Amino acid sequence: MLRSGIYATYRGTEYELTVDMDNNVKIMTDDKGKIDSTFEDTYNSGLYTKKVKPNELEDCVRIVPYGIIQGEKVQILKEKENQYQVATGSLLVGSYLNLPRVDRDTWVGWVSKNKIKLIEEKTPVNPENL
């Protein structure tokens, strides 16, 4: 599963983080196995959230995924089944992958996962500063 965003561990379980308009830190998941009665599905969308205190979080990191194709770095935008949607500013990579050109310096398209080495760039984040 492609991870992108801010993640942290809360009581031994990893969750994605978000901050609401009132600057409340919330953990979120769509996995019912990770929730209890303190989580809520505000919009009945299947996404459960819980307000937490920043000091309750451990191992807080920002994850930015990217891929390496033939030694070139590409941005990974989305994932579906056996493909990643990638973007590049390189004419050589865009041409090699036969990606559609979407503007002057950008090529975007779907590429088989077996052509890409997925890398997650992780940067520590202080949850007090979200």
Side-chain angles (χ1 to χ4, degrees):
M1 182 174 109
L2 184 66
R3 298 186 310 161
S4 178
I6 301 174
Y7 290 80
T9 303
Y10 173 75
R11 296 186 180 171
T13 304
E14 184 181 67
Y15 293 94
E16 188 169 1
L17 298 183
T18 188
V19 178
D20 68 14
M21 290 174 41
D22 296 323
N23 288 324
N24 295 309
V25 175
K26 292 185 173 186
I27 56 176
M28 59 185 179
T29 184
D30 58 3
D31 182 351
K32 286 188 176 184
K34 290 182 167 184
I35 66 168
D36 58 25
S37 63
T38 61
F39 284 76
E40 56 184 30
D41 182 0
T42 307
Y43 303 106
N44 201 24
S45 64
L47 182 65
Y48 300 90
T49 61
K50 176 180 179 171
K51 188 166 62 170
V52 296
K53 295 177 183 166
N55 63 4
E56 296 177 289
L57 301 171
E58 299 174 344
D59 304 320
C60 192
V61 293
R62 179 178 315 277
I63 298 175
V64 177
Y66 66 91
I68 302 293
I69 300 173
Q70 287 198 330
E72 295 288 330
K73 187 175 179 178
V74 295
Q75 183 180 7
I76 303 229
L77 305 174
K78 295 180 185 176
E79 174 184 35
K80 71 177 180 183
E81 296 179 12
N82 294 318
Q83 296 182 316
Y84 291 119
Q85 185 182 41
V86 299
T88 183
S90 166
L91 170 62
L92 295 175
V93 174
S95 296
Y96 168 74
L97 296 173
N98 199 27
L99 300 177
R101 189 174 186 173
V102 296
D103 70 22
R104 192 184 105 192
D105 295 322
T106 307
W107 290 260
V108 176
W110 292 93
V111 176
S112 175
K113 286 182 178 180
N114 62 12
K115 288 187 176 183
I116 300 174
K117 179 180 178 183
L118 179 65
I119 307 224
E120 288 185 340
E121 185 175 272
K122 297 180 181 180
T123 308
V125 174
N126 182 346
E128 300 284 344
N129 297 333
L130 296 174

